[in-house]
Amino acid sequence: MLPCINWLKPFLALISSTLLTRGQNCPTSCLCPDHHTVNCSGQGLTGVPDSIPLDVRRLLLSNNWIPWIPSDFLVLYTDLVYLDLRNNSLSQLEPGTLSTSSRLVFLDLGRNNLTEIPSGTFGESRSLIKLRLGDNPYLTMVGRDVFTGLTSLRELELERNGLTGLDVRVLEPLPSLQMVRLEGNPWLCNCHFAKLFVWLTKNQHKLPTGMEGIECSLPQDGRRLALSLLSEDSFRECHGTLTLTDYLIVIFSGISVSVAAIMTSFFLASTVHCFQRLSKVSKGDEEEGND
């Protein structure tokens, strides 16, 4: 038995060495303080580094010049829970890029050049707890269904972007949301903003700066006011305002009614005409019978 064990020792040593060094192959210009952390912050990178260990859990890529992320970037990193891409040059995210990491808990995309967050960007990342999207000055559009499926999200940061409005349905499918930051955006106090204002009023406890920290511009003169100075009555003229959907429904209903009226009139006219012809035929037959 002992000779067999001695014969297996080199193989056991090789396997042990492989397991111990897994995750220690640190990318060039990066630091790896432990087996599951790769820190490439502030290295002037213009792309995602190669040779990132497959078992990485914390990946720090902040303060670089990375302009884009490969669409299949996270496919192999199934253990990743923490991803920091703050202060880079990201201008867009391909749908699905960040939806393949099912264990991702923390994601920081702040201080980039993002212009929109389209629906499907995050898929259904049910483990995501904290999402930072603030300080993207060109970010003007957030897809209505972009956060659908993020059932564990507790903290959402959208401060200091270029948002003038936000569909309230963006925030409604977040059952675990405890904190949302919206201050520093150029909000417009128009009818489109009215529903969001109602939501914010009911969820003031989720705003770290309160209603005082959020301002919007009046459509009449552009004057900015803190939301704390407004009330639902400030938007009372919007209650009777029809949305684009409402207009489409009205137009479609009007067309449908018109078509139905035309068809009914045609049917009635045809019916009357048939009865008149039948009456003439009957009278003709009667006259011939009398003759």
Side-chain angles (χ1 to χ4, degrees), residues 4-19:
C4 292
I5 295 176
N6 291 332
W7 183 77
L8 287 172
K9 278 184 177 180
F11 295 97
L12 294 173
L14 179 61
I15 294 173
S16 299
S17 176
T18 302
L19 292 175

Side-chain angles (χ1 to χ4, degrees), residues 192-217:
H192 179 67
F193 187 76
K195 291 183 179 179
L196 179 61
F197 178 81
V198 173
W199 188 92
L200 293 174
T201 302
K202 295 179 180 178
N203 294 272
Q204 294 188 49
H205 58 284
K206 298 179 181 179
L207 306 173
T209 60
M211 298 287 277
E212 296 84 1
I214 304 176
E215 297 182 342
C216 65
S217 298

Side-chain angles (χ1 to χ4, degrees), residues 225-269:
L225 292 176
L227 296 191
S228 58
L229 300 176
L230 303 176
S231 65
E232 291 189 34
D233 288 340
S234 304
F235 300 91
R236 61 180 178 273
E237 64 180 16
C238 299
H239 297 326
T241 302
L242 296 179
T243 63
L244 176 60
T245 303
D246 297 329
Y247 280 117
L248 291 176
I249 292 174
V250 171
I251 293 172
F252 180 76
S253 300
I255 294 174
S256 300
V257 171
S258 299
V259 171
I262 293 171
M263 292 180 66
T264 302
S265 300
F266 178 78
F267 176 75
L268 291 175

Side-chain angles (χ1 to χ4, degrees), residues 69 90-91 105 110 114 163 192 197 213 222 265 284 287:
I69 306 173
L90 297 174
S91 59
V105 172
L114 296 174
L163 297 171
H192 179 67
F197 178 81
S265 300
E287 291 177 356

Side-chain angles (χ1 to χ4, degrees), residues 104-119:
L104 198 63
V105 172
F106 175 92
L107 177 60
D108 193 342
L109 295 169
R111 295 188 181 182
N112 276 280
N113 298 321
L114 296 174
T115 57
E116 64 175 316
I117 309 293
S119 298

